[in-house]
Amino acid sequence: EYQWKGPFYFIQGADPQFGLMKAWTHGNTNNGDNEWEEEIKLAEQAVQAINKLNPKPKFFVLCGDLVHGMPGTRWKKKQEQDLKDVLKNTDQDIPLVFVSGNHDIGNTPTRETIDDYCKNWGDDYFSFWVGGVLFLVLNSQLYFDSSKCPELRLAQDAWLDEQLAVAANQKCRHIIVFQHIPLFLSQPDEDDDYFNLGKSVRQEIMEKFHKAGIRAVFSGHYHRNAGGSYKGLEMVVSSAIGCQLGQDTHGLRVVVVTEEKVVHRYYSLTELGSHGIEKELLDMLDKQK
């Protein structure tokens, strides 16, 4: 869909992370993830809320950490299967978009862990067009630590430059990026942290995104809502469908794309499931039809 056809919206979720809730409460995040009943229920609640929405979202993107089990760990395959079983119930007219997180391919990914992810969930980076808007899905682990697969980092960089060149020629309405690890949590120059990308690589990416006219970057990883902006580029950090590490509720983000702007709001699963999208956002969808 290379042409602008009027406003639309999509749903962003992050970190269903089957297994983290028990691991977190037991203080054993390495091996305590042998139960994930609670996460299954939350993911089911998310799918039910999305299926009820009218009009339907253009797609549902999950920004990484699909399950808690790291590559090669005992429960990973079962966690992935259980998540797939829940997601199969998503309305078939709502495409699913998957983003790789550190738990999906490892904190220091290898060619093998990335290949395994791709077999399971699809490419670790790719682009797609919806209604004249270019969406880019990136593998943020390659920016975090590509020491075991430097050639894959170079390949993603080359591909990204190519995509941005195409976008410049195509005159797309907006460019929006999805990745797991945020560029930053609140300030572009904040210190390096487990939850953001390191300053050196961050600056380079922010500048590249700014020059390309990218409107917004949506991510997860932090298990809390956060965000900020850099020269007109908005960094949106969404809390988790699964385990909460702050004061937010299990939820999803509704993102409305109009001709001029990208407007979003985080809803708790309960709120979205029982009330749907608020009138103010629905009115934006109707406005330019």
Side-chain angles (χ1 to χ4, degrees):
E1 297 186 1
Y2 294 107
Q3 302 305 316
W4 176 255
K5 296 191 179 74
F8 62 88
Y9 82 102
F10 63 85
I11 300 288
Q12 182 219 2
D15 303 272
Q17 207 160 339
F18 283 21
L20 175 60
M21 289 171 89
K22 175 168 187 258
W24 187 256
T25 50
H26 285 244
N28 181 359
T29 50
N30 292 330
N31 303 303
D33 61 337
N34 61 342
E35 286 172 28
W36 49 91
E37 275 307 308
E38 237 178 312
E39 283 98 336
I40 290 177
K41 287 193 188 112
L42 290 162
E44 285 172 344
Q45 199 183 342
V47 167
Q48 285 158 8
I50 291 167
N51 287 348
K52 277 199 219 164
L53 296 172
N54 184 20
K56 290 188 202 311
K58 281 286 193 175
F59 59 88
F60 170 30
V61 58
L62 273 171
C63 282
D65 282 1
L66 305 172
V67 302
H68 183 65
M70 286 279 188
T73 55
R74 184 173 175 190
W75 305 108
K76 187 176 185 68
K77 288 276 171 264
K78 180 76 179 98
Q79 289 169 351
E80 289 182 328
Q81 191 50 56
D82 284 355
L83 177 59
K84 285 179 183 179
D85 288 344
V86 173
L87 293 174
K88 274 179 196 151
N89 297 315
T90 309
D91 184 314
Q92 60 192 32
D93 294 330
I94 304 171
L96 292 167
V97 177
F98 297 108
V99 182
S100 62
N102 57 307
H103 282 263
D104 305 311
I105 57 176
N107 286 322
T108 305
T110 64
R111 185 175 277 281
E112 291 69 36
T113 62
I114 291 174
D115 282 350
D116 188 57
Y117 170 86
C118 293
K119 279 193 200 93
N120 250 311
W121 302 101
D123 292 339
D124 60 321
Y125 59 89
F126 56 96
S127 65
F128 60 98
W129 288 79
V130 173
V133 176
L134 174 61
F135 291 93
L136 299 170
V137 170
L138 297 179
N139 178 346
S140 55
Q141 286 316 116
L142 294 175
Y143 295 128
F144 189 79
D145 182 358
S146 61
S147 57
K148 287 188 179 164
C149 53
E151 74 288 357
L152 298 183
R153 158 85 191 266
L154 293 173
Q156 175 169 265
D157 284 344
W159 171 86
L160 179 58
D161 289 342
E162 216 172 86
Q163 291 291 315
L164 296 177
V166 167
N169 291 332
Q170 284 275 7
K171 301 278 182 285
C172 54
R173 183 62 60 190
H174 303 293
I175 310 171
I176 292 173
V177 171
F178 299 121
Q179 59 188 53
H180 178 61
I181 301 182
L183 294 167
F184 57 90
L185 297 172
S186 57
Q187 303 296 330
D189 59 351
E190 70 198 17
D191 290 341
D192 296 1
D193 186 297
Y194 172 77
F195 289 111
N196 61 21
L197 287 179
K199 268 187 179 170
S200 51
V201 67
R202 180 197 314 165
Q203 189 55 43
E204 187 190 321
I205 298 170
M206 290 191 309
E207 208 35 50
K208 180 183 282 192
F209 285 3
H210 163 65
K211 286 194 174 122
I214 288 173
R215 181 56 68 99
V217 177
F218 288 88
S219 71
H221 189 49
Y222 192 43
H223 295 255
R224 286 156 279 214
N225 287 309
S229 64
Y230 172 81
K231 296 185 181 176
L233 164 74
E234 189 180 7
M235 180 67 244
V236 185
V237 185
S238 292
S239 197
I241 292 171
C243 189
Q244 299 299 315
L245 301 184
Q247 301 306 308
D248 296 295
T249 51
H250 308 281
L252 294 164
R253 193 172 292 278
V254 173
V255 186
V256 175
V257 182
T258 73
E259 204 158 357
E260 280 79 42
K261 53 193 180 180
V262 177
V263 182
H264 52 86
R265 184 174 160 215
Y266 186 83
Y267 288 83
S268 75
L269 296 180
T270 313
E271 189 184 6
L272 193 63
S274 54
H275 302 299
I277 301 170
E278 68 202 282
K279 187 173 182 310
E280 192 186 338
L281 293 184
L282 289 173
D283 286 350
M284 286 182 176
L285 293 172
D286 281 338
K287 254 197 188 116
Q288 296 151 295
K289 281 195 178 148

